[in-house]
Amino acid sequence: MFNKLQQKWKVGGIQLFLILCTFAVTGSLTAFISERITNWVGFDENTLFAWKILLRLSILIFGYQFIILAVSFVFGQFRFFWNYEKKILTKMGFMKRKAPKTEPFKLAIFASGKGSNAEKIIQYFDNEKLVKISMIVCNNPQAGVLDIAKQHNIKTLVIDKKTFTQTEEYVQLLKNEGITHIILAGFLWKVPETMINGYRNKILNIHPALLPNFGGKGMYGHFVHEAVVKAGERESGITIHFVNEHYDEGGIIFQSSFPILPTDSAEDVAKKGQILEHRDFPKVIASLLLPASS
Ligand code: GRF
């Protein structure tokens, strides 16, 4: 059940726990406040039952919405619950529905290797009018991902380290191309601050382990799986997260996991992880950009 909720809300285990705490505390607090208000108003056993019900219901229906936001703030979950409230207020007719988007999101996929994730994403959005894979950015002229780009007629950009790390040239170039989001799918260079500032909360990365464990500098590719097996972990998985200034520390959007058998090698773990990456990465991108489709 918890796994289902995690998938539905696209949150990790800790965030799910904080969300459930918010619901639990809000429920008790609303009941408490509602009783206090009823007493304060002076309702007693002689008051008409209908009045009592009306007051209680108003507190439950309207008060609850404010209380949950206040409580969510305490648990650090305001953003999640504000989105949740927006949906409710829209359904109740208090907020206007957003005008449907007609301009597509334009994605640049950054990759350094063979590009199997890039390919899955390209295939997934092939017929999607609102999401266009506009560019493949790569730091290695020999990388297989460039062939994939060619097969799909997607523009490529091979970058050099000095320009990438020391100038804003590539940020400007992406902006000029109308790129709205950056997807890191096996991209091995650290994204410089100028690019993170230019695309704040618009850069996603996939990491082949369950962050915050087995992340950080030097933890990429086979190093991750070797460390996981060496540590005797019984499970591993994948993490999709926003990218900030620190390696693998941006907000977690989604995680999924698989069991590790005692006989599994690092290669076995890598294979199991990649199945999840291919299955989940495109869907998570879609659910962020096209909320209605989730
Ligand atoms: C993936 O396992 C990804 O998690 C990691 O690099 C790998 C890229 O594989 N960051 P591919 O190039 O998409 O096949």
Side-chain angles (χ1 to χ4, degrees):
M1 174 195 160
F2 290 128
N3 274 348
K4 273 200 180 147
L5 282 179
Q6 271 179 260
Q7 304 252 344
K8 185 170 174 218
W9 291 337
K10 294 167 202 81
V11 295
I14 297 176
Q15 195 182 356
L16 178 67
F17 175 72
L18 294 170
I19 289 169
L20 295 179
C21 288
T22 305
F23 276 120
V25 173
T26 305
S28 315
L29 198 62
T30 311
F32 174 79
I33 292 176
S34 138
E35 197 190 322
R36 280 298 165 106
I37 294 182
T38 319
N39 292 341
W40 176 70
V41 171
F43 283 1
D44 54 27
E45 49 291 353
N46 302 320
T47 312
L48 201 62
F49 187 65
W51 283 124
K52 284 190 203 167
I53 288 283
L54 195 68
L55 181 66
R56 286 268 167 127
L57 273 182
S58 320
I59 298 169
L60 284 177
I61 295 173
F62 297 107
Y64 183 89
Q65 316 304 332
F66 292 103
I67 297 170
I68 204 162
L69 285 178
V71 176
S72 70
F73 190 73
V74 176
F75 283 102
Q77 297 306 314
F78 184 81
R79 198 153 140 198
F80 175 88
F81 280 93
W82 177 232
N83 286 335
Y84 168 88
E85 282 303 322
K86 278 197 283 196
K87 277 187 202 154
I88 293 183
L89 291 173
T90 311
K91 271 190 194 150
M92 285 171 143
F94 291 116
M95 267 178 109
K96 270 196 189 158
R97 268 177 215 287
K98 270 194 198 155
K101 190 175 159 45
T102 48
E103 279 293 297
F105 292 110
K106 291 176 129 193
L107 275 50
I109 301 179
F110 284 39
S112 305
K114 66 179 179 350
S116 66
N117 277 286
E119 185 161 38
K120 292 287 170 193
I121 297 168
I122 294 167
Q123 286 166 348
Y124 187 93
F125 291 110
D126 205 22
N127 289 318
E128 172 55 67
K129 287 194 180 62
L130 291 180
V131 179
K132 191 172 176 323
I133 312 302
S134 301
M135 193 185 275
I136 298 289
V137 178
C138 182
N139 60 324
N140 170 10
Q142 315 304 332
V145 71
L146 293 173
D147 298 327
I148 292 174
K150 211 186 262 174
Q151 282 160 27
H152 291 269
N153 259 328
I154 298 173
K155 206 183 246 186
T156 56
L157 171 69
V158 177
I159 53 174
D160 81 84
K161 197 151 197 173
K162 202 165 167 211
T163 316
F164 185 58
T165 52
Q166 294 177 18
T167 75
E168 290 194 18
E169 197 178 308
Y170 293 135
V171 185
Q172 274 320 319
L173 193 149
L174 294 175
K175 294 276 175 189
N176 293 343
E177 288 288 330
I179 298 297
T180 58
H181 293 76
I182 295 173
I183 309 296
L184 308 184
F187 182 67
L188 296 184
W189 287 352
K190 189 168 190 277
V191 179
E193 243 174 270
T194 46
M195 195 160 281
I196 289 168
N197 288 332
Y199 283 93
R200 180 71 53 190
N201 290 331
K202 300 263 178 352
I203 310 180
L204 305 189
N205 181 42
I206 189 155
H207 184 78
L210 294 170
L211 292 175
N213 298 327
F214 304 103
K217 199 164 189 281
M219 274 293 169
Y220 60 88
H222 65 100
F223 295 112
V224 180
H225 309 299
E226 280 158 12
V228 167
V229 170
K230 199 167 168 215
E233 294 291 316
R234 310 268 304 268
E235 101 173 333
S236 189
I238 62 161
T239 304
I240 296 163
H241 64 96
F242 289 112
V243 173
N244 68 11
E245 291 78 358
H246 309 286
Y247 268 122
D248 300 328
E249 286 184 17
I252 292 177
I253 302 162
F254 175 89
Q255 291 187 306
S256 53
S257 58
F258 56 84
I260 300 178
L261 304 177
T263 49
D264 277 349
S265 64
E267 287 74 33
D268 296 326
V269 173
K271 275 185 203 149
K272 288 183 182 179
Q274 200 139 62
I275 292 173
L276 296 190
E277 292 186 343
H278 294 168
R279 185 194 70 184
D280 295 335
F281 203 12
K283 284 189 198 158
V284 172
I285 298 169
S287 69
L288 281 181
L289 300 180
L290 312 166
S293 77
S294 64

